[in-house]
Amino acid sequence: MSLQARIRMARRHAGLTQTALALAVGVQRSAVSHWESPQGKNPRMAHLREIATTTGTQFEWLATGRGPMTLGLEVAQYSVAAADALLVDDPLEMRLLLAFRDAPSRGRMALVELVEELAHQRLGRSRAARTSKPS
């Protein structure tokens, strides 16, 4: 089963219209229509995570087709979605991570280079020293 078919199945299983799913995920209804179209585009990972959460389906099933579509109630109560697990305690680091994730693909490298340059200026270390592996 294709990703597009799984998205449609998950939406229908949750009893949602394309418009309702779009509102929950934060996109236009046409995006949901594209995601469900046989030759449609694939959603970004963040949107796929939101679709899984909104429809009550397992992220792994939605993304790959593996595993059960939904978790049993008992398992769902004690599980933490891997897609939502953030191992960041510092609020500033979290802001940086969220800004990076929200940036368009083309802008991500510029963000990384900017932060590396600022760290270099502050600490006096070269970029090569941080990226090279110890022997």
Side-chain angles (χ1 to χ4, degrees), residues 29-113:
R29 188 211 53 82
S30 60
V32 175
S33 178
H34 284 291
W35 297 338
E36 293 183 358
S37 173
Q39 287 80 32
K41 299 177 181 179
N42 292 340
R44 293 185 342 197
M45 203 55 59
H47 290 148
L48 200 58
R49 183 182 60 209
E50 287 298 318
I51 294 167
T53 301
T54 300
T55 61
T57 57
Q58 284 206 76
F59 179 80
E60 181 180 8
W61 175 84
L62 190 60
T64 68
R66 293 189 303 253
M69 181 178 169
T70 59
L71 289 175
L73 181 59
E74 184 176 311
V75 175
Q77 291 175 343
Y78 298 107
S79 67
V80 175
D84 288 331
L86 292 175
L87 304 175
V88 178
D89 292 328
D90 184 324
L92 288 175
E93 185 179 354
M94 177 62 76
R95 284 179 59 193
L96 185 62
L97 178 61
L98 293 174
F100 176 83
R101 289 181 176 175
D102 287 341
S105 300
R106 293 177 292 195
R108 288 181 175 183
M109 182 54 76
L111 286 174
V112 169
E113 290 173 350

